[in-house]
């Protein structure tokens, strides 16, 4: 069963995204970090390059109209249309997009939600969409943790 995990009340979403991507690849998978903003992807790329040498996360920006790189553990991408990805690839969703509507739903989606009322309202919509699509839902309240 597909699973969507929500991390809410995150105080520093960009920092948390780097840590969450690292944890996801340590768990043995590949990760697609999806954003609705090319600027956000560029900032995340820069942040990932600035990690300590021993905690560096191999990654690259993927242009979704090109063939998906097969060896890179973390791909960063943006676009107007959700791409088709392997079902076993974890999606770290930094956008308001509903991955339950993707051409092929991933087995795992990670959602980082900030503290603002707008962020929380958008997350509630995605939460409902995932649940209605049959995803198992996990929720971690990160207040005072991240």
């Amino acid at each position: 069963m597909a699973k969507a995990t929500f991390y809410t009340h995150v105080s520093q979403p960009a920092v948390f995204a780097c840590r969450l991507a690292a944890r996801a690849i340590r768990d043995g998978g590949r990760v697609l970090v999806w954003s609705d903003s090319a600027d956000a992807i560029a900032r995340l790329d820069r942040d990932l390059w600035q990690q300590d040498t021993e905690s560096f996360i191999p990654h690259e920006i993927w242009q979704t109209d090109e063939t998906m790189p097969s060896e890179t553990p973390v791909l960063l991408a943006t676009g107007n249309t959700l791409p088709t990805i392997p079902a076993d690839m974890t999606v770290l969703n930094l956008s308001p997009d509903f991955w339950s509507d993707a051409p092929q739903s991933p087995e795992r989606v990670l959602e980082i939600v900030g503290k603002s009322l707008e962020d929380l309202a958008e997350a509630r919509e995605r939460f409902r969409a995932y649940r209605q699509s049959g995803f198992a839902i996990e929720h971690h309240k990160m207040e005072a943790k991240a």
Side-chain angles (χ1 to χ4, degrees), residues 75-88:
L75 298 176
L76 312 176
T78 187
N80 296 323
T81 305
L82 297 176
T84 300
I85 62 169
D88 63 346

Side-chain angles (χ1 to χ4, degrees), residues 2 4 7 14-16 18-19 25 36 49-50 59 62 67 75 78-79 82 85-86 90 93 100 106 110 126 131 135:
Y7 298 89
V15 172
F16 192 73
C18 291
R19 292 195 338 238
I25 61 172
D36 59 337
W49 277 108
Q50 293 177 351
H59 67 282
W62 171 44
T67 303
L75 298 176
T78 187
L82 297 176
I85 62 169
T90 297
N93 189 24
S100 55
L110 308 173
R126 291 192 307 277
R131 186 180 336 184
F135 279 67

